[in-house]
Amino acid sequence: MRQLPNAGREKPTAHYEGRYMWLFVICAVAFVALGLRLWELQIIEGERYYHASTDNIIRQVEVQPPRGEILDHSGVELATNRPSFDVYIQPSIFLANADEEVYELLKRYLSLSQRQLDRLRQRVDAREGEVLVSRDVSRSDVARLQEDQMRLPGVEVRINHQRYYPLHHVGAHALGYVSEVGPEQLRELQPYGYRRGNLIGQMGLERVYEELLHGSPGLSREVVDARGNPVSEAERDFLIGEYQEVGVVPGRDLVTNLDADLMVIIDEAMQDYAAGAAVAVDPNDGSVLALYSKPHFNPNAWSGRLSAMERMRTDSDPFRPMMDKTVNGYFPGSVYKIVGTWMGLAEGHYEPHDEETCRGFHELGNQRFRCWREQGHGRVDAYSSMVQSCDVYYYELAEKVDIDTMAEYARSFGFGEHTGIELPHEQAGRVPDREWHEERSPEGYQRGFDLNTIIGQGDNLTTPLQVAMAYGAIANGGKLYYPQIVDEIRNEEGDTLFEYEPQVRKRVDIDDEHLEVLREGLRGVVHDSQGTGRGSRLSHTEVAGKTGTAQVAQIGTVRIPHEERELHRRNHAWFSAYAPYDDPEIALVVFLEHGGGGGGDAAPVAMEILDRYLTRDTPEALSIRLGEKFDGDDET
């Protein structure tokens, strides 16, 4: 039988079948592994890799809200915002594309010092988010940066809000200023959303009401290419759709009781004096109408790029421009005599017409206490001692009472205690008593301390604000109010969110008869022919007031004229008043640091302020007059 050719032979592919099987297994395992890896990448870690990839092209920028405005009682802007061109660097884009030449371009275009450039390198290399290179650059600098944009990868100019104070230095201490949050502040405030480069209130109302003024930031998402340039609108819409922006919440506005016009009047009236303070309040409700401290500083400079010259000028000024003198303690001099007058009457040591004889001095043991008038005042009572500011009358009274009783009456007027004003760094002043002297005076309490204390010398310290509130209490019949700067809080639309009501801090427990003696004496200071403030009286309004000249150095046996003394040994000048006498609208204190005498220096300044305030034009013309004065003023 014939056998077929392939009969009994193995299939030609039989010996490949094992290999095919292994190849199939290998491929299957590879595909399974690839599938598992794809599943891991897309499902398990998909979100992380998505963010990693989109972060290269989708940039999220925090948008700072406009800071709330601060307005005076009639709507004049005291602190507002203006556009600011700020330069930022995106480190991831910058480091991937930039070279040494880019740093040199930034240094030249933005006038950076070598130290600033070195710090910029460190911050960029740290890759801790976007870096603020320079704030509030000029339009010409912006133009140069934009013209050279292709050579500046990762560098962008952004329009933000820059704080602006239209009245410049006027009211600077009360308003404060803003600047970048410092390292220590940042550690404390980072949980509340503050980031490096954010602005924060550093003084005055800006600091106290920071939470309300700051607002809440928004978020802007934009798509850029590898060099940081924005892509087309169509590409942006395709990649991020409608989720491109989260709106900001603007800060709240503060409407204050401050009177911008009055503060400008004070500024002009005090222009011939190097240092001092002025405080004006409404005695009927404690509203603070004006706070003025000199020497001043320009908050526009401190809120922007502070120049080395401005910093040096501030640091080298012996009168300390950054100190708010309205809430700082000084020797009060004779404006303090309201305490002694009231105490003498209330304690029964004097009736209003009981007299003492002033020979120009008073002797206690072997020590002679001088009156300011060397030849003396002759026979004086409660009224004439106030009118002529006779020291001897009060020396005699001090021998009849003890210093602790004196301290009680002083504290009843609010001296030696914080007034409760919204501003930070208010001092309580000092009302010395026996315990204070036993603890702090080298030889303990001495009887002569009483005589110095009752005339506002010795260890007394009062703030101009305390004096203003005390005289306001005399004007209104004995109500000592909390001084109130802010009247209401509004939102961006102008709706009132919260309104502050006047608050009585305490009532001065003074009899009507004794209060009338005080009032008549204060009126006599200005309108009596022998009054120490008679030379500055107003023809159209009756003013009640008190002059004060506080010695900062012992007189000695030889009296040296004020203008011949060293600056730090010259007297402080005070004048405190309220007006009109019959229907008070304003209580005013003028304090001139080393400025001379109360009658010759402080009283004329105060009377000029009262004259212009009480006879001024209607408030409708206010913003125009202020605008003409301050527009374009670039004081530094």
Side-chain angles (χ1 to χ4, degrees):
M1 184 175 181
R2 188 176 179 182
Q3 195 172 18
L4 294 173
N6 293 329
R9 289 189 179 182
E10 188 178 1
K11 293 181 179 180
T13 59
H15 67 285
Y16 292 109
E17 290 180 356
R19 298 181 182 182
Y20 290 151
M21 181 60 69
W22 281 109
L23 182 61
F24 174 78
V25 171
I26 292 172
C27 289
V29 170
F31 276 106
V32 170
L34 181 61
L36 290 173
R37 181 58 176 160
L38 288 173
W39 181 77
E40 179 185 15
L41 293 174
Q42 295 187 25
I43 304 302
I44 297 180
E45 299 186 4
E47 186 175 356
R48 181 169 70 88
Y49 283 104
Y50 168 78
H51 286 301
S53 62
T54 56
D55 282 348
N56 292 325
I57 58 171
I58 300 175
R59 184 166 64 230
Q60 295 191 151
V61 177
E62 188 175 79
V63 181
Q64 292 304 311
R67 195 170 178 85
E69 294 186 328
I70 303 177
L71 311 171
D72 91 333
H73 71 103
S74 60
V76 175
E77 294 176 344
L78 302 176
T80 185
N81 306 297
R82 62 171 176 79
S84 168
F85 296 103
D86 302 341
V87 181
Y88 293 84
I89 283 179
Q90 301 297 332
S92 58
I93 298 174
F94 186 85
L95 293 174
N97 299 278
D99 53 24
E100 187 63 29
E101 181 185 3
V102 178
Y103 280 111
E104 293 302 319
L105 285 174
L106 289 174
K107 181 180 180 182
R108 185 168 72 252
Y109 287 167
L110 301 177
S111 302
L112 302 178
S113 66
Q114 187 59 48
R115 181 181 179 184
Q116 290 173 319
L117 189 65
D118 293 340
R119 291 180 61 189
L120 176 61
R121 291 177 192 271
Q122 293 174 1
R123 294 179 61 188
V124 171
D125 290 341
R127 295 176 180 264
E128 295 178 352
E130 65 181 17
V131 176
L132 176 63
V133 181
S134 188
R135 191 186 299 278
D136 199 23
V137 302
S138 66
R139 292 180 182 273
S140 58
D141 289 341
V142 172
R144 287 191 292 178
L145 290 170
Q146 290 178 337
E147 288 174 3
D148 227 347
Q149 186 64 52
M150 297 303 296
R151 300 170 62 193
L152 299 169
V155 178
E156 64 176 85
V157 178
R158 205 177 295 161
I159 300 178
N160 288 324
H161 304 281
Q162 175 66 30
R163 203 58 162 166
Y164 178 63
Y165 303 87
L167 301 189
H168 299 272
H169 63 271
V170 177
H173 295 82
L175 299 174
Y177 66 96
V178 299
S179 65
E180 287 188 26
V181 58
E184 292 185 8
Q185 292 175 315
L186 187 59
R187 282 193 290 271
E188 180 182 347
L189 297 174
Q190 200 162 12
Y192 300 97
Y194 284 83
R195 302 289 180 265
R196 178 181 288 181
N198 287 173
L199 298 177
I200 188 173
Q202 300 287 7
M203 189 177 182
L205 295 178
E206 295 278 22
R207 174 178 170 180
V208 175
Y209 289 92
E210 167 65 22
E211 292 183 9
L212 290 172
L213 292 167
H214 184 75
S216 298
L219 190 67
S220 175
R221 303 175 76 216
E222 56 185 16
V223 182
V224 297
D225 60 21
R227 293 183 62 84
N229 300 313
V231 302
S232 68
E233 184 177 347
E235 290 180 275
R236 183 187 65 204
D237 292 342
F238 174 76
L239 289 168
I240 59 179
E242 60 185 27
Y243 301 105
Q244 298 176 18
E245 185 175 303
V246 177
V248 301
V249 178
R252 306 305 189 188
D253 296 338
L254 302 182
V255 181
T256 70
N257 293 309
L258 297 173
D259 188 320
D261 190 38
L262 176 58
M263 291 197 292
V264 173
I265 290 171
I266 292 171
D267 181 55
E268 294 170 349
M270 292 184 64
Q271 61 184 339
D272 293 333
Y273 293 90
V279 177
V281 301
D282 185 338
N284 300 299
D285 60 10
S287 298
V288 178
L289 305 178
L291 291 169
Y292 181 88
S293 181
K294 190 176 183 180
H296 32 62
F297 66 95
N298 186 354
N300 289 315
W302 283 78
S303 295
R305 292 185 294 176
L306 183 64
S307 67
M309 182 177 296
E310 173 72 7
R311 184 61 185 257
M312 183 174 66
R313 183 190 72 81
T314 302
D315 292 344
S316 61
D317 192 320
F319 286 112
R320 303 174 68 182
M322 302 306 289
M323 173 188 288
D324 186 354
K325 292 177 170 58
T326 66
V327 291
N328 195 62
Y330 300 93
F331 303 128
S334 293
V335 296
Y336 197 74
K337 287 177 178 174
I338 56 173
V339 174
T341 299
W342 175 32
M343 177 183 65
L345 297 171
E347 291 293 310
H349 296 294
Y350 285 113
E351 292 298 323
H353 298 294
D354 289 347
E355 293 183 334
E356 292 285 355
T357 300
C358 173
R359 297 176 295 162
F361 62 88
H362 173 83
E363 292 181 334
L364 177 65
N366 60 358
Q367 191 173 2
R368 178 170 287 188
F369 290 81
R370 298 174 180 271
C371 183
W372 71 267
R373 189 178 186 188
E374 195 170 1
Q375 66 270 33
H377 292 94
R379 303 289 293 177
V380 291
D381 59 11
Y383 170 81
S384 56
S385 66
M386 178 79 75
V387 168
Q388 300 178 65
S389 201
C390 174
D391 294 328
V392 169
Y393 178 89
Y394 295 93
Y395 293 150
E396 295 284 352
L397 174 59
E399 288 217 57
K400 296 178 172 64
V401 297
D402 59 75
I403 197 170
D404 288 337
T405 302
M406 204 180 304
E408 290 177 11
Y409 281 88
R411 294 189 183 105
S412 295
F413 269 127
F415 297 125
E417 302 170 346
H418 292 99
T419 66
I421 196 169
E422 302 104 301
L423 299 178
H425 308 306
E426 180 196 9
Q427 294 186 0
R430 182 191 302 145
V431 173
D433 53 20
R434 183 183 295 269
E435 181 181 359
W436 187 90
H437 282 293
E438 292 292 352
E439 292 178 356
R440 293 172 178 82
S441 296
E443 298 180 2
Y445 168 76
Q446 304 291 321
R447 184 61 177 157
F449 294 154
D450 303 53
L451 277 67
N452 283 325
T453 297
I454 201 170
I455 64 168
Q457 292 288 168
D459 296 287
N460 276 332
L461 292 177
T462 63
T463 71
L465 178 61
Q466 287 174 334
V467 177
M469 300 309 296
Y471 276 71
I474 294 174
N476 66 37
K479 295 178 183 177
L480 191 66
Y481 282 95
Y482 283 102
Q484 185 176 304
I485 302 179
V486 177
D487 182 39
E488 60 182 62
I489 298 169
R490 295 179 183 170
N491 60 18
E492 187 183 21
E493 290 74 32
D495 300 324
T496 299
L497 303 177
F498 186 81
E499 189 170 358
Y500 292 87
E501 296 294 332
Q503 294 186 48
V504 176
R505 180 178 151 207
K506 64 171 74 172
R507 292 183 180 271
V508 182
D509 187 17
I510 182 170
D511 292 344
D512 291 342
E513 179 186 357
H514 299 157
L515 180 62
E516 190 61 25
V517 173
L518 274 181
R519 286 174 168 171
E520 284 295 325
L522 295 175
R523 178 167 62 173
V525 169
V526 179
H527 295 280
D528 192 292
S529 61
Q530 294 184 307
T532 54
R534 64 188 180 280
S536 302
R537 67 169 67 96
L538 302 179
S539 60
H540 55 78
T541 306
E542 277 197 325
V543 176
K546 184 71 189 78
T547 58
T549 303
Q551 300 168 12
V552 296
Q554 191 171 359
I555 294 178
T557 56
V558 179
R559 296 181 183 240
I560 302 173
H562 171 79
E563 61 275 4
E564 296 180 14
R565 301 178 193 174
E566 297 177 17
L567 179 62
H568 69 280
R569 297 177 68 86
R570 295 177 182 176
N571 297 332
H572 297 324
W574 290 83
F575 188 76
S576 185
Y578 62 86
Y581 176 76
D582 291 327
D583 187 17
E585 299 176 18
I586 180 174
L588 173 70
V589 170
V590 169
F591 165 73
L592 304 176
E593 187 176 9
H594 302 298
D601 293 282
V605 171
M607 289 302 186
E608 178 185 345
I609 295 167
L610 291 173
D611 182 23
R612 294 177 60 185
Y613 176 76
L614 294 172
T615 61
R616 64 180 176 170
D617 295 333
T618 58
E620 284 73 16
L622 179 62
S623 59
I624 298 174
R625 193 174 80 80
L626 296 180
E628 290 174 351
K629 178 176 177 63
F630 289 99
D631 279 355
D633 184 354
D634 292 324
E635 178 192 343
T636 58

